[in-house]
mmCIF file of all heavy atoms in Angstrom:
data_model
loop_
_atom_site.group_PDB
_atom_site.id
_atom_site.type_symbol
_atom_site.label_atom_id
_atom_site.label_comp_id
_atom_site.label_asym_id
_atom_site.label_seq_id
_atom_site.Cartn_x
_atom_site.Cartn_y
_atom_site.Cartn_z
ATOM 1 N N ASN S 904 -63.646 11.570 -9.930
ATOM 2 C CA ASN S 904 -62.737 12.689 -9.611
ATOM 3 C C ASN S 904 -62.010 12.430 -8.304
ATOM 4 O O ASN S 904 -60.795 12.616 -8.211
ATOM 5 C CB ASN S 904 -63.510 14.004 -9.479
ATOM 6 C CG ASN S 904 -63.897 14.557 -10.849
ATOM 7 O OD1 ASN S 904 -63.482 14.016 -11.874
ATOM 8 N ND2 ASN S 904 -64.702 15.610 -10.861
ATOM 9 N N LEU S 905 -62.772 11.993 -7.287
ATOM 10 C CA LEU S 905 -62.158 11.847 -5.963
ATOM 11 C C LEU S 905 -61.196 10.659 -5.926
ATOM 12 O O LEU S 905 -60.120 10.748 -5.330
ATOM 13 C CB LEU S 905 -63.238 11.731 -4.885
ATOM 14 C CG LEU S 905 -64.034 13.035 -4.681
ATOM 15 C CD1 LEU S 905 -65.222 12.802 -3.754
ATOM 16 C CD2 LEU S 905 -63.131 14.127 -4.087
ATOM 17 N N VAL S 906 -61.578 9.557 -6.569
ATOM 18 C CA VAL S 906 -60.687 8.388 -6.563
ATOM 19 C C VAL S 906 -59.430 8.685 -7.381
ATOM 20 O O VAL S 906 -58.314 8.355 -6.966
ATOM 21 C CB VAL S 906 -61.420 7.136 -7.089
ATOM 22 C CG1 VAL S 906 -60.458 5.950 -7.168
ATOM 23 C CG2 VAL S 906 -62.581 6.780 -6.193
ATOM 24 N N MET S 907 -59.622 9.367 -8.525
ATOM 25 C CA MET S 907 -58.455 9.730 -9.351
ATOM 26 C C MET S 907 -57.496 10.607 -8.554
ATOM 27 O O MET S 907 -56.281 10.389 -8.566
ATOM 28 C CB MET S 907 -58.903 10.474 -10.620
ATOM 29 C CG MET S 907 -59.492 9.570 -11.686
ATOM 30 S SD MET S 907 -58.328 8.315 -12.238
ATOM 31 C CE MET S 907 -57.220 9.335 -13.197
ATOM 32 N N ASN S 908 -58.051 11.612 -7.884
ATOM 33 C CA ASN S 908 -57.204 12.492 -7.059
ATOM 34 C C ASN S 908 -56.452 11.682 -6.011
ATOM 35 O O ASN S 908 -55.266 11.913 -5.772
ATOM 36 C CB ASN S 908 -58.037 13.554 -6.344
ATOM 37 C CG ASN S 908 -58.349 14.732 -7.257
ATOM 38 O OD1 ASN S 908 -57.859 14.797 -8.383
ATOM 39 N ND2 ASN S 908 -59.176 15.662 -6.768
ATOM 40 N N ALA S 909 -57.177 10.727 -5.407
ATOM 41 C CA ALA S 909 -56.558 9.920 -4.351
ATOM 42 C C ALA S 909 -55.422 9.082 -4.935
ATOM 43 O O ALA S 909 -54.333 8.995 -4.341
ATOM 44 C CB ALA S 909 -57.610 9.043 -3.687
ATOM 45 N N ILE S 910 -55.671 8.474 -6.104
ATOM 46 C CA ILE S 910 -54.616 7.655 -6.739
ATOM 47 C C ILE S 910 -53.422 8.550 -7.073
ATOM 48 O O ILE S 910 -52.268 8.212 -6.815
ATOM 49 C CB ILE S 910 -55.160 6.954 -8.001
ATOM 50 C CG1 ILE S 910 -56.220 5.909 -7.609
ATOM 51 C CG2 ILE S 910 -54.029 6.291 -8.787
ATOM 52 C CD1 ILE S 910 -56.986 5.325 -8.792
ATOM 53 N N GLU S 911 -53.729 9.742 -7.634
ATOM 54 C CA GLU S 911 -52.647 10.651 -8.021
ATOM 55 C C GLU S 911 -51.846 11.118 -6.800
ATOM 56 O O GLU S 911 -50.643 11.357 -6.885
ATOM 57 C CB GLU S 911 -53.210 11.848 -8.788
ATOM 58 C CG GLU S 911 -53.469 11.501 -10.252
ATOM 59 C CD GLU S 911 -54.554 12.346 -10.900
ATOM 60 O OE1 GLU S 911 -55.008 13.322 -10.249
ATOM 61 O OE2 GLU S 911 -54.975 12.027 -12.024
ATOM 62 N N ALA S 912 -52.527 11.233 -5.641
ATOM 63 C CA ALA S 912 -51.817 11.661 -4.429
ATOM 64 C C ALA S 912 -50.856 10.560 -3.959
ATOM 65 O O ALA S 912 -49.854 10.847 -3.313
ATOM 66 C CB ALA S 912 -52.809 11.998 -3.327
ATOM 67 N N CYS S 913 -51.191 9.281 -4.327
ATOM 68 C CA CYS S 913 -50.328 8.168 -3.899
ATOM 69 C C CYS S 913 -49.364 7.795 -5.032
ATOM 70 O O CYS S 913 -49.319 6.647 -5.447
ATOM 71 C CB CYS S 913 -51.148 6.924 -3.564
ATOM 72 S SG CYS S 913 -52.503 7.167 -2.467
ATOM 73 N N PHE S 936 -63.493 8.756 1.050
ATOM 74 C CA PHE S 936 -62.402 8.416 0.121
ATOM 75 C C PHE S 936 -61.096 8.606 0.880
ATOM 76 O O PHE S 936 -60.651 9.729 1.084
ATOM 77 C CB PHE S 936 -62.446 9.331 -1.117
ATOM 78 C CG PHE S 936 -63.739 9.208 -1.882
ATOM 79 C CD1 PHE S 936 -64.858 9.954 -1.525
ATOM 80 C CD2 PHE S 936 -63.847 8.343 -2.956
ATOM 81 C CE1 PHE S 936 -66.051 9.833 -2.220
ATOM 82 C CE2 PHE S 936 -65.037 8.217 -3.659
ATOM 83 C CZ PHE S 936 -66.149 8.958 -3.288
ATOM 84 N N ASP S 938 -57.053 7.967 1.434
ATOM 85 C CA ASP S 938 -55.811 7.553 0.757
ATOM 86 C C ASP S 938 -54.656 7.757 1.706
ATOM 87 O O ASP S 938 -54.769 8.514 2.683
ATOM 88 C CB ASP S 938 -55.603 8.351 -0.534
ATOM 89 C CG ASP S 938 -55.334 9.810 -0.289
ATOM 90 O OD1 ASP S 938 -54.290 10.129 0.326
ATOM 91 O OD2 ASP S 938 -56.188 10.667 -0.678
ATOM 92 N N GLY S 940 -51.791 8.997 0.675
ATOM 93 C CA GLY S 940 -50.898 9.741 -0.221
ATOM 94 C C GLY S 940 -50.202 10.895 0.469
ATOM 95 O O GLY S 940 -49.981 10.875 1.684
ATOM 96 N N CYS S 941 -49.927 11.936 -0.348
ATOM 97 C CA CYS S 941 -49.071 13.034 0.129
ATOM 98 C C CYS S 941 -49.756 13.947 1.152
ATOM 99 O O CYS S 941 -49.109 14.751 1.812
ATOM 100 C CB CYS S 941 -48.605 13.861 -1.060
ATOM 101 S SG CYS S 941 -49.984 14.561 -1.977
ATOM 102 N N GLY S 942 -51.079 13.837 1.268
ATOM 103 C CA GLY S 942 -51.777 14.711 2.216
ATOM 104 C C GLY S 942 -51.938 16.117 1.662
ATOM 105 O O GLY S 942 -51.500 16.411 0.541
ATOM 106 N N ILE S 943 -52.596 16.975 2.422
ATOM 107 C CA ILE S 943 -52.879 18.340 1.935
ATOM 108 C C ILE S 943 -52.327 19.345 2.933
ATOM 109 O O ILE S 943 -52.691 19.330 4.109
ATOM 110 C CB ILE S 943 -54.402 18.540 1.749
ATOM 111 C CG1 ILE S 943 -54.907 17.589 0.660
ATOM 112 C CG2 ILE S 943 -54.737 19.974 1.404
ATOM 113 C CD1 ILE S 943 -56.398 17.570 0.477
ATOM 114 N N SER S 944 -51.453 20.208 2.451
ATOM 115 C CA SER S 944 -50.888 21.226 3.337
ATOM 116 C C SER S 944 -51.923 22.330 3.548
ATOM 117 O O SER S 944 -52.909 22.423 2.810
ATOM 118 C CB SER S 944 -49.627 21.812 2.716
ATOM 119 O OG SER S 944 -49.986 22.528 1.562
ATOM 120 N N VAL S 947 -52.490 24.581 0.528
ATOM 121 C CA VAL S 947 -53.277 23.921 -0.526
ATOM 122 C C VAL S 947 -54.748 23.850 -0.097
ATOM 123 O O VAL S 947 -55.648 24.125 -0.889
ATOM 124 C CB VAL S 947 -52.707 22.502 -0.818
ATOM 125 C CG1 VAL S 947 -53.636 21.734 -1.750
ATOM 126 C CG2 VAL S 947 -51.314 22.613 -1.431
ATOM 127 N N LYS S 950 -57.092 26.661 -0.942
ATOM 128 C CA LYS S 950 -57.484 26.928 -2.344
ATOM 129 C C LYS S 950 -58.052 25.705 -3.039
ATOM 130 O O LYS S 950 -58.320 25.734 -4.243
ATOM 131 C CB LYS S 950 -56.247 27.398 -3.129
ATOM 132 C CG LYS S 950 -55.561 28.592 -2.523
ATOM 133 C CD LYS S 950 -54.238 28.842 -3.219
ATOM 134 C CE LYS S 950 -53.292 29.615 -2.303
ATOM 135 N NZ LYS S 950 -51.902 29.255 -2.488
ATOM 136 N N LEU S 951 -58.199 24.632 -2.317
ATOM 137 C CA LEU S 951 -58.539 23.330 -2.883
ATOM 138 C C LEU S 951 -59.677 23.361 -3.907
ATOM 139 O O LEU S 951 -59.594 22.752 -4.963
ATOM 140 C CB LEU S 951 -58.928 22.410 -1.724
ATOM 141 C CG LEU S 951 -58.667 20.934 -1.875
ATOM 142 C CD1 LEU S 951 -57.203 20.662 -2.153
ATOM 143 C CD2 LEU S 951 -59.058 20.240 -0.565
ATOM 144 N N TYR S 952 -60.756 24.099 -3.577
ATOM 145 C CA TYR S 952 -61.945 24.054 -4.434
ATOM 146 C C TYR S 952 -61.969 25.222 -5.435
ATOM 147 O O TYR S 952 -62.952 25.393 -6.144
ATOM 148 C CB TYR S 952 -63.219 24.073 -3.573
ATOM 149 C CG TYR S 952 -63.284 22.901 -2.616
ATOM 150 C CD1 TYR S 952 -62.880 23.016 -1.305
ATOM 151 C CD2 TYR S 952 -63.737 21.658 -3.079
ATOM 152 C CE1 TYR S 952 -62.927 21.937 -0.446
ATOM 153 C CE2 TYR S 952 -63.779 20.566 -2.214
ATOM 154 C CZ TYR S 952 -63.380 20.704 -0.901
ATOM 155 O OH TYR S 952 -63.426 19.626 -0.070
ATOM 156 N N ASN S 953 -60.885 26.009 -5.432
ATOM 157 C CA ASN S 953 -60.843 27.104 -6.409
ATOM 158 C C ASN S 953 -60.667 26.528 -7.811
ATOM 159 O O ASN S 953 -59.856 25.634 -8.018
ATOM 160 C CB ASN S 953 -59.650 28.036 -6.133
ATOM 161 C CG ASN S 953 -59.931 28.937 -4.947
ATOM 162 O OD1 ASN S 953 -61.024 28.879 -4.371
ATOM 163 N ND2 ASN S 953 -58.944 29.739 -4.574
ATOM 164 N N PRO S 954 -61.435 27.042 -8.785
ATOM 165 C CA PRO S 954 -61.245 26.543 -10.149
ATOM 166 C C PRO S 954 -59.824 26.878 -10.640
ATOM 167 O O PRO S 954 -59.287 27.938 -10.288
ATOM 168 C CB PRO S 954 -62.295 27.291 -10.956
ATOM 169 C CG PRO S 954 -62.740 28.412 -10.107
ATOM 170 C CD PRO S 954 -62.471 28.053 -8.692
ATOM 171 N N PHE S 955 -59.267 26.000 -11.392
ATOM 172 C CA PHE S 955 -57.927 26.147 -11.991
ATOM 173 C C PHE S 955 -56.808 26.038 -10.965
ATOM 174 O O PHE S 955 -55.663 26.269 -11.273
ATOM 175 C CB PHE S 955 -57.777 27.459 -12.787
ATOM 176 C CG PHE S 955 -58.876 27.648 -13.786
ATOM 177 C CD1 PHE S 955 -59.834 28.634 -13.630
ATOM 178 C CD2 PHE S 955 -58.972 26.793 -14.892
ATOM 179 C CE1 PHE S 955 -60.859 28.786 -14.539
ATOM 180 C CE2 PHE S 955 -60.005 26.955 -15.809
ATOM 181 C CZ PHE S 955 -60.957 27.940 -15.642
ATOM 182 N N PHE S 956 -57.135 25.688 -9.729
ATOM 183 C CA PHE S 956 -56.036 25.482 -8.780
ATOM 184 C C PHE S 956 -55.589 24.032 -8.896
ATOM 185 O O PHE S 956 -56.373 23.105 -8.719
ATOM 186 C CB PHE S 956 -56.467 25.771 -7.332
ATOM 187 C CG PHE S 956 -55.401 25.341 -6.360
ATOM 188 C CD1 PHE S 956 -54.251 26.124 -6.186
ATOM 189 C CD2 PHE S 956 -55.488 24.134 -5.686
ATOM 190 C CE1 PHE S 956 -53.244 25.699 -5.333
ATOM 191 C CE2 PHE S 956 -54.473 23.708 -4.833
ATOM 192 C CZ PHE S 956 -53.352 24.495 -4.652
ATOM 193 N N THR S 957 -54.311 23.880 -9.185
ATOM 194 C CA THR S 957 -53.770 22.526 -9.269
ATOM 195 C C THR S 957 -52.315 22.539 -8.838
ATOM 196 O O THR S 957 -51.636 23.562 -8.968
ATOM 197 C CB THR S 957 -53.906 21.953 -10.696
ATOM 198 O OG1 THR S 957 -53.303 20.654 -10.729
ATOM 199 C CG2 THR S 957 -53.230 22.823 -11.750
ATOM 200 N N THR S 958 -51.863 21.402 -8.298
ATOM 201 C CA THR S 958 -50.439 21.286 -7.975
ATOM 202 C C THR S 958 -49.798 20.270 -8.910
ATOM 203 O O THR S 958 -48.625 19.970 -8.783
ATOM 204 C CB THR S 958 -50.258 20.810 -6.523
ATOM 205 O OG1 THR S 958 -50.955 19.585 -6.357
ATOM 206 C CG2 THR S 958 -50.726 21.844 -5.514
ATOM 207 N N ARG S 959 -50.607 19.722 -9.810
ATOM 208 C CA ARG S 959 -50.082 18.697 -10.723
ATOM 209 C C ARG S 959 -49.769 19.317 -12.078
ATOM 210 O O ARG S 959 -50.510 20.189 -12.555
ATOM 211 C CB ARG S 959 -51.102 17.576 -10.885
ATOM 212 C CG ARG S 959 -51.339 16.808 -9.580
ATOM 213 C CD ARG S 959 -52.147 15.567 -9.773
ATOM 214 N NE ARG S 959 -53.502 15.847 -10.242
ATOM 215 C CZ ARG S 959 -53.914 15.623 -11.490
ATOM 216 N NH1 ARG S 959 -53.076 15.105 -12.378
ATOM 217 N NH2 ARG S 959 -55.144 15.899 -11.827
ATOM 218 N N ALA S 960 -48.688 18.801 -12.690
ATOM 219 C CA ALA S 960 -48.228 19.355 -13.960
ATOM 220 C C ALA S 960 -49.314 19.265 -15.029
ATOM 221 O O ALA S 960 -49.615 20.234 -15.716
ATOM 222 C CB ALA S 960 -46.972 18.620 -14.412
ATOM 223 N N GLY S 961 -49.972 18.089 -15.130
ATOM 224 C CA GLY S 961 -50.962 17.938 -16.189
ATOM 225 C C GLY S 961 -52.366 18.260 -15.724
ATOM 226 O O GLY S 961 -53.341 17.997 -16.423
ATOM 227 N N GLY S 962 -52.524 18.818 -14.529
ATOM 228 C CA GLY S 962 -53.866 19.025 -13.977
ATOM 229 C C GLY S 962 -54.555 20.253 -14.538
ATOM 230 O O GLY S 962 -53.912 21.181 -15.006
ATOM 231 N N THR S 963 -55.896 20.230 -14.466
ATOM 232 C CA THR S 963 -56.662 21.408 -14.908
ATOM 233 C C THR S 963 -57.085 22.238 -13.694
ATOM 234 O O THR S 963 -57.431 23.410 -13.820
ATOM 235 C CB THR S 963 -57.953 20.986 -15.635
ATOM 236 O OG1 THR S 963 -58.731 20.204 -14.717
ATOM 237 C CG2 THR S 963 -57.640 20.202 -16.875
ATOM 238 N N GLY S 964 -57.121 21.598 -12.552
ATOM 239 C CA GLY S 964 -57.562 22.318 -11.349
ATOM 240 C C GLY S 964 -59.058 22.529 -11.335
ATOM 241 O O GLY S 964 -59.580 23.359 -10.587
ATOM 242 N N LEU S 965 -59.782 21.728 -12.147
ATOM 243 C CA LEU S 965 -61.247 21.903 -12.175
ATOM 244 C C LEU S 965 -61.989 20.742 -11.493
ATOM 245 O O LEU S 965 -63.169 20.870 -11.167
ATOM 246 C CB LEU S 965 -61.716 22.035 -13.621
ATOM 247 C CG LEU S 965 -61.386 23.371 -14.276
ATOM 248 C CD1 LEU S 965 -61.661 23.312 -15.777
ATOM 249 C CD2 LEU S 965 -62.199 24.490 -13.650
ATOM 250 N N GLY S 966 -61.267 19.612 -11.262
ATOM 251 C CA GLY S 966 -61.912 18.403 -10.725
ATOM 252 C C GLY S 966 -62.701 18.669 -9.440
ATOM 253 O O GLY S 966 -63.906 18.385 -9.359
ATOM 254 N N LEU S 967 -62.040 19.238 -8.437
ATOM 255 C CA LEU S 967 -62.718 19.428 -7.138
ATOM 256 C C LEU S 967 -63.813 20.486 -7.200
ATOM 257 O O LEU S 967 -64.840 20.365 -6.540
ATOM 258 C CB LEU S 967 -61.707 19.771 -6.042
ATOM 259 C CG LEU S 967 -60.934 18.574 -5.480
ATOM 260 C CD1 LEU S 967 -59.940 19.036 -4.408
ATOM 261 C CD2 LEU S 967 -61.875 17.534 -4.878
ATOM 262 N N SER S 968 -63.570 21.557 -8.004
ATOM 263 C CA SER S 968 -64.613 22.594 -8.046
ATOM 264 C C SER S 968 -65.867 22.050 -8.711
ATOM 265 O O SER S 968 -66.986 22.335 -8.260
ATOM 266 C CB SER S 968 -64.105 23.871 -8.708
ATOM 267 O OG SER S 968 -63.519 23.582 -9.947
ATOM 268 N N ILE S 969 -65.686 21.216 -9.761
ATOM 269 C CA ILE S 969 -66.867 20.612 -10.402
ATOM 270 C C ILE S 969 -67.536 19.634 -9.424
ATOM 271 O O ILE S 969 -68.757 19.635 -9.250
ATOM 272 C CB ILE S 969 -66.453 19.894 -11.711
ATOM 273 C CG1 ILE S 969 -66.070 20.947 -12.768
ATOM 274 C CG2 ILE S 969 -67.575 18.999 -12.230
ATOM 275 C CD1 ILE S 969 -65.430 20.382 -14.015
ATOM 276 N N THR S 970 -66.689 18.838 -8.748
ATOM 277 C CA THR S 970 -67.216 17.862 -7.779
ATOM 278 C C THR S 970 -68.082 18.558 -6.731
ATOM 279 O O THR S 970 -69.204 18.140 -6.434
ATOM 280 C CB THR S 970 -66.033 17.142 -7.090
ATOM 281 O OG1 THR S 970 -65.294 16.458 -8.100
ATOM 282 C CG2 THR S 970 -66.511 16.173 -6.030
ATOM 283 N N GLY S 990 -51.685 11.367 4.339
ATOM 284 C CA GLY S 990 -52.853 10.926 3.599
ATOM 285 C C GLY S 990 -54.047 11.841 3.842
ATOM 286 O O GLY S 990 -53.999 12.725 4.697
ATOM 287 N N THR S 991 -55.091 11.615 3.066
ATOM 288 C CA THR S 991 -56.263 12.500 3.149
ATOM 289 C C THR S 991 -57.522 11.648 3.129
ATOM 290 O O THR S 991 -57.542 10.557 2.559
ATOM 291 C CB THR S 991 -56.308 13.437 1.915
ATOM 292 O OG1 THR S 991 -55.019 13.996 1.738
ATOM 293 C CG2 THR S 991 -57.339 14.523 2.074
ATOM 294 N N THR S 992 -58.557 12.186 3.763
ATOM 295 C CA THR S 992 -59.876 11.558 3.644
ATOM 296 C C THR S 992 -60.854 12.625 3.183
ATOM 297 O O THR S 992 -60.973 13.680 3.814
ATOM 298 C CB THR S 992 -60.345 10.998 4.996
ATOM 299 O OG1 THR S 992 -59.382 10.033 5.421
ATOM 300 C CG2 THR S 992 -61.704 10.337 4.879
ATOM 301 N N PHE S 993 -61.506 12.352 2.050
ATOM 302 C CA PHE S 993 -62.594 13.233 1.619
ATOM 303 C C PHE S 993 -63.899 12.575 2.042
ATOM 304 O O PHE S 993 -64.043 11.353 1.934
ATOM 305 C CB PHE S 993 -62.566 13.422 0.095
ATOM 306 C CG PHE S 993 -61.632 14.515 -0.330
ATOM 307 C CD1 PHE S 993 -60.275 14.253 -0.528
ATOM 308 C CD2 PHE S 993 -62.110 15.804 -0.519
ATOM 309 C CE1 PHE S 993 -59.414 15.272 -0.906
ATOM 310 C CE2 PHE S 993 -61.248 16.819 -0.906
ATOM 311 C CZ PHE S 993 -59.895 16.559 -1.094
HETATM 312 P P1 ADP Y 1312 -56.362 18.471 -10.547
HETATM 313 O O1 ADP Y 1312 -56.655 17.085 -10.189
HETATM 314 O O2 ADP Y 1312 -56.561 18.760 -11.978
HETATM 315 O O3 ADP Y 1312 -55.124 19.005 -9.977
HETATM 316 P P2 ADP Y 1312 -58.418 18.955 -8.678
HETATM 317 O O4 ADP Y 1312 -59.383 20.051 -8.531
HETATM 318 O O5 ADP Y 1312 -58.959 17.600 -8.842
HETATM 319 O O6 ADP Y 1312 -57.502 19.341 -9.892
HETATM 320 O O7 ADP Y 1312 -57.439 18.964 -7.497
HETATM 321 C C1 ADP Y 1312 -56.847 20.186 -7.135
HETATM 322 C C2 ADP Y 1312 -55.656 19.924 -6.255
HETATM 323 O O8 ADP Y 1312 -56.047 19.439 -5.014
HETATM 324 C C3 ADP Y 1312 -54.711 18.898 -6.763
HETATM 325 O O9 ADP Y 1312 -53.804 19.459 -7.703
HETATM 326 C C4 ADP Y 1312 -54.010 18.490 -5.509
HETATM 327 O O10 ADP Y 1312 -52.973 19.380 -5.183
HETATM 328 C C5 ADP Y 1312 -55.058 18.604 -4.484
HETATM 329 N N1 ADP Y 1312 -55.670 17.316 -4.151
HETATM 330 C C6 ADP Y 1312 -56.872 16.852 -4.543
HETATM 331 N N2 ADP Y 1312 -57.146 15.648 -4.006
HETATM 332 C C7 ADP Y 1312 -56.059 15.324 -3.246
HETATM 333 C C8 ADP Y 1312 -55.712 14.187 -2.425
HETATM 334 N N3 ADP Y 1312 -56.530 13.105 -2.297
HETATM 335 N N4 ADP Y 1312 -54.523 14.227 -1.773
HETATM 336 C C9 ADP Y 1312 -53.708 15.292 -1.894
HETATM 337 N N5 ADP Y 1312 -53.969 16.387 -2.636
HETATM 338 C C10 ADP Y 1312 -55.137 16.403 -3.325
#
Side-chain angles (χ1 to χ4, degrees):
N904 284 354
L905 292 171
V906 176
M907 284 300 287
N908 278 355
I910 293 170
E911 279 154 8
C913 310
F936 300 85
D938 67 64
C941 59
I943 296 174
S944 67
V947 171
K950 305 171 204 147
L951 210 57
Y952 301 97
N953 284 358
F955 308 111
F956 171 77
T957 177
T958 56
R959 295 190 296 106
T963 59
L965 286 170
L967 281 179
S968 51
I969 289 170
T970 299
T991 312
T992 300
F993 275 86

